[in-house]
Amino acid sequence: MLNIKTTESIRWIGCTNRRTGGRDQVSDKSTALWYAQPAKSWFQALPVGNGRFGGMMYGGTDRERIQMNEDTLWSGEPKETVNREAAEYLDVVREMIFAGKYAEAEALIERHMEGPEIESYVPLGDLDLIMEEAGEVSNYRRELNLAEGIARVQYSQNNAVHSRELFVSAVDQVMAIRLQSERNISVSAVLSSPLQYEVKKVTWNQLILTGRSPVRILPNTVKSSDPVHYEEGKGIGFNIRLTVIIDKGRLEVSGGRIRVSGTGTVTFLLTAETSFQGYDKDPALSDKPSLQLGEARLAKAASLGYEQLKERHINDHAARFCKVSLDLGGQERNNLPTDVRIEAIKNGVEDPGLAALFFQYGRYLLLSSSRIGTQPANLQGIWNDSIRPPWCSSWTTNINVEMNYWPAEVGNLAECHLPLFDLIEDLQHTGRKAADVHYRCEGWTAHHNIDLWRTATPVGGSPSWAFWPLAGAWLCQHIWEHYAYSQDEMFLKRAYPVMKEAARFGLDWLVEAKDGSLVTCPSTSPENFFIAPDGQKSSVTQGVTMDIALLRNLFDHCLEASGILSDTDHAFIGRLEHALLRMPPYRIGKYGQLQEWNEDFEEFEPGHRHVAHLVSLHPLDQITLHQEPELAAACKVTLERRLNHGGAHTGWSCAWMINLWARLGESEHAQRFVNELLAGLHPNMMNAHRHPKVKQDIFQIDGNLGGVSGIAEMLLQSHGNNVQFLPSLPQKWMKGCVKGLRARGGFEVDITWENGKLLRARILSTAGKSFLLRTAEPVCVMQNGYEIRIEDIEPNVIVFGTKKGQSYEIVPRSDRR
């Protein structure tokens, strides 16, 4: 159900620019994945979703399976996770670290300063449609139309055309499936779940499946012969309602299934609800509200009818999705099935059209897994078929959940960002207790793994990943980005206290090192290890570069926000300014690389998948190519060293490489990793997490969404207080057009280029701010056919004023009309 967070999401919405007019929406009819055969596995099935309720459609001709998820269906219940022993060891561990006893400090942290494991996101159930007609199948096509948000199947059998389509409506909160045939339709619908459940008849055309989730699931990384635990009267309750509507024919409900025999069309409507009412409320107290909500939603949907449901869904979905279009060329390959195109990429075929489709698919996935009032997109968005999903399908905050939301603002899906802010707001409460009890600090903190119950404490395991209390600082970057793109001061006023409390934790967490600087301690660079001077392997030290980058970034943004909002808390502002002066600088190591740790340690794994210290380059702008060229060059050396030792072998890591190389202006390197990311996809274009130590097939949505961000960075950059068009355009994308991207400062941008050069750009000012453009080529700025005045403020940077709601055209001066 739309959980308790709905009202809080609306509070965020009230502080967000929601421009509905002044620009034509862009529609790209070529945005479709398609296949010539049904899905044989989950990694070939097609995803649909409304942010809360998701499905994976297999498209079988004899048996259609739709695997379903609901975003609040997790194991567990509210519980206390703080470790009151942790604070007793904090000073001891710090003394060990300052004395160079890193391995000993790490062992002490793991024994005494961590906490219990998080819970898992679990599958809801399956709908199987068993087709009773047999015969040879021809002309099969299965597709996912991204612009409409509809999955379809069509084929011929026994001289008749059969078709079906599926969507999940955010407007009406139902899943709708329509079967059509030129002949009779004979089909049985069966509901089931991998969890404990029962199915019963409700009415002559309706079933209800009810069940309860486990109260405890051990993570898939924990070896156990009994990892799943149920307890009577505990855990989240859930239900699925299924109603069938037919034109003509017979319908029979018996034995937990519905059998239909008729002509024309058959419509299936489903709702899914859970008893989750908030991270701090017992979900087992009552299932009645969720049962009543599902019944009401299904009744309303049935009264509307399929065609009206479909129209309402398409209008709602397309209004958001079609704000952006991208053409990189290569449209002639659209006549090939998507899985064939992915295989061709593996064999070295260039397919810029597939890169554009991947870009739009990522936007589709974010829109389908993160909507107002829902949970944020987790490691798998909302799509998961395993009771013990990889890494609990959690919100993993040392890179993954942040990467999920990198494309939200630039990709013109700012509304999709709001569920993450709800999560952050909840973490203030659980994280405030963690900060106080574990570290004797004010403010709030969170660590590497977060679940539905907003666990903010470190879980058990290696401190290299389990002990990382800087999640709050990184998550607050998303709050700032939402402001930076919108320039919405009402939103900033609403969000600033969250940033301020995260900064208070950071100020308290900093301690004085032997050289007088302020550092974090204990400190880890997720999830990497170094070799200490004594030859021991460790992950725990002081003042790692990532920590310093995140805190410096947060403190800078708090200072800027305090000025915008006229904050009179001079003591807090003074502490920020003092800390910034005393924090260690970025350092260049012995190989010419950006130093990852406070000391220039040898890396235990030089090809490690994480490049945590490069957050300073991306997604932050602490290091920029034009303002800190020496440090940018050191970032390049870091990337080269990682890659020379086998780095970027996982999907999300590959996606980050695109963004990093794009920030460095290295277009061909960026495109290389676009192709590597495409070549590693599952057949349904979901990102494959490929790791040499992991044998199972895994989907992680961060690779898809980070890839969207990377492609956007190649076409438009707006960090460092200026905008760049086509900053990292590869030779294979020499002609193209993108419409609807957003730039920091309150702008929407269209760019058209030929022969690798800007042909024209159009900007729409949504906030009336000055537009600073970095361009090595002379340009002129036109409005309503007249050239307007521009000012050169530094080499290759021009500026001109804008008015809110007005558009401007930028063209090369030689192309002035």
Side-chain angles (χ1 to χ4, degrees), residues 425-499:
E425 197 165 42
D426 287 345
L427 286 172
Q428 278 193 102
H429 303 290
T430 56
R432 189 175 293 121
K433 189 170 185 178
D436 178 34
V437 174
H438 280 239
Y439 309 123
R440 304 187 298 269
C441 292
E442 292 187 353
W444 68 276
T445 186
H447 293 75
H448 166 254
N449 279 344
I450 296 166
D451 59 14
L452 183 71
W453 311 108
R454 304 315 192 230
T455 301
T457 48
V459 298
S462 168
S464 66
W465 50 268
F467 191 89
W468 186 72
L470 267 294
W474 200 351
L475 288 171
C476 283
Q477 167 68 7
H478 288 266
I479 292 173
W480 181 258
E481 287 285 73
H482 194 67
Y483 165 74
Y485 278 90
S486 68
Q487 298 294 297
D488 187 341
E489 291 186 16
M490 288 180 63
F491 169 80
L492 186 62
K493 184 177 181 179
R494 163 88 170 85
Y496 176 53
V498 182
M499 298 169 56

Side-chain angles (χ1 to χ4, degrees), residues 743-762:
R744 295 173 183 88
F747 303 100
E748 291 188 12
V749 180
D750 303 342
I751 310 170
T752 304
W753 66 95
E754 288 184 0
N755 300 316
K757 299 290 185 181
L758 175 70
L759 190 62
R760 63 180 52 84
R762 175 178 176 268

Side-chain angles (χ1 to χ4, degrees), residues 175-210:
M175 177 182 288
I177 308 156
R178 167 153 287 193
L179 276 59
Q180 290 183 298
S181 175
E182 296 174 337
R183 296 166 58 92
N184 289 345
I185 298 175
S186 295
V187 58
S188 293
V190 181
L191 279 178
S192 62
S193 174
L195 306 177
Q196 290 184 353
Y197 75 98
E198 63 176 6
V199 182
K200 64 181 181 181
K201 177 180 177 179
V202 180
T203 67
W204 66 275
N205 68 339
Q206 186 176 133
L207 294 175
I208 185 168
L209 180 151
T210 58

Side-chain angles (χ1 to χ4, degrees), residues 549-566:
L550 291 173
L551 289 180
R552 188 179 295 279
N553 181 72
L554 176 60
F555 294 173
D556 283 341
H557 289 159
C558 282
L559 286 173
E560 190 169 348
S562 71
I564 295 168
L565 301 174
S566 301

Side-chain angles (χ1 to χ4, degrees), residues 479-773:
I479 292 173
W480 181 258
E481 287 285 73
H482 194 67
Y483 165 74
Y485 278 90
S486 68
Q487 298 294 297
D488 187 341
E489 291 186 16
M490 288 180 63
F491 169 80
L492 186 62
K493 184 177 181 179
R494 163 88 170 85
Y496 176 53
V498 182
M499 298 169 56
K500 192 170 180 179
E501 290 303 302
R504 287 191 191 281
F505 171 78
L507 289 167
D508 282 359
W509 184 238
L510 289 168
V511 294
E512 186 173 296
K514 290 183 177 180
D515 64 0
S517 64
L518 292 179
V519 298
T520 55
C521 185
S523 182
T524 61
S525 189
E527 303 170 12
N528 208 357
F529 291 86
F530 58 86
I531 304 297
D534 62 6
Q536 294 193 72
K537 168 189 168 184
S538 182
S539 65
V540 173
T541 182
Q542 57 173 301
V544 302
T545 301
M546 184 187 197
D547 285 4
I548 300 305
L550 291 173
L551 289 180
R552 188 179 295 279
N553 181 72
L554 176 60
F555 294 173
D556 283 341
H557 289 159
C558 282
L559 286 173
E560 190 169 348
S562 71
I564 295 168
L565 301 174
S566 301
D567 184 4
T568 57
D569 189 346
H570 300 299
F572 171 68
I573 293 168
R575 289 188 69 193
L576 293 176
E577 293 172 337
H578 177 73
L580 284 167
L581 290 173
R582 295 184 60 191
M583 292 165 71
Y586 296 111
R587 297 185 175 99
I588 297 175
K590 54 182 171 288
Y591 300 110
Q593 87 285 10
L594 187 72
Q595 204 166 288
E596 184 166 3
W597 293 279
N598 189 266
E599 297 181 50
D600 196 7
F601 296 123
E602 286 292 340
E603 299 165 292
F604 175 75
E605 186 185 350
H608 192 68
R609 63 194 177 279
H610 283 258
V611 282
H613 48 315
L614 297 193
V615 297
S616 50
L617 176 67
H618 179 277
L620 314 183
D621 61 355
Q622 294 281 305
I623 296 174
T624 65
L625 181 62
H626 300 286
Q627 295 173 333
E628 294 86 18
E630 290 186 6
L631 290 174
C635 292
K636 181 178 179 180
V637 172
T638 296
L639 291 175
E640 291 169 342
R641 278 182 53 79
R642 281 289 202 269
L643 297 175
N644 289 340
H645 289 87
H649 46 260
T650 57
W652 67 262
S653 182
C654 184
W656 199 358
M657 286 288 168
I658 303 169
N659 290 271
L660 291 164
W661 284 120
R663 281 281 174 102
L664 291 171
E666 298 281 353
S667 57
E668 301 312 312
H669 284 307
Q671 202 228 359
R672 169 194 160 190
F673 284 99
V674 170
N675 282 348
E676 289 201 12
L677 193 59
L678 295 176
L681 296 174
H682 292 298
N684 61 5
M685 288 196 86
M686 284 180 161
N687 167 65
H689 178 88
R690 305 190 190 281
H691 189 287
K693 296 180 181 178
V694 178
K695 303 303 180 186
Q696 68 184 112
D697 283 329
I698 291 175
F699 158 55
Q700 278 191 203
I701 200 172
D702 44 23
N704 287 98
L705 302 180
V708 173
S709 169
I711 291 172
E713 288 281 345
M714 296 168 73
L715 303 174
L716 175 71
Q717 294 181 18
S718 60
H719 61 282
N721 298 319
N722 57 68
V723 177
Q724 286 182 271
F725 302 144
L726 311 176
S728 193
L729 186 72
Q731 293 183 359
K732 299 296 183 180
W733 301 354
M734 293 299 284
K735 180 179 179 180
C737 177
V738 63
K739 295 181 180 180
L741 293 183
R742 297 174 73 231
R744 295 173 183 88
F747 303 100
E748 291 188 12
V749 180
D750 303 342
I751 310 170
T752 304
W753 66 95
E754 288 184 0
N755 300 316
K757 299 290 185 181
L758 175 70
L759 190 62
R760 63 180 52 84
R762 175 178 176 268
I763 69 162
L764 171 67
S765 176
T766 63
K769 304 290 184 177
S770 294
F771 190 84
L772 279 74
L773 177 67

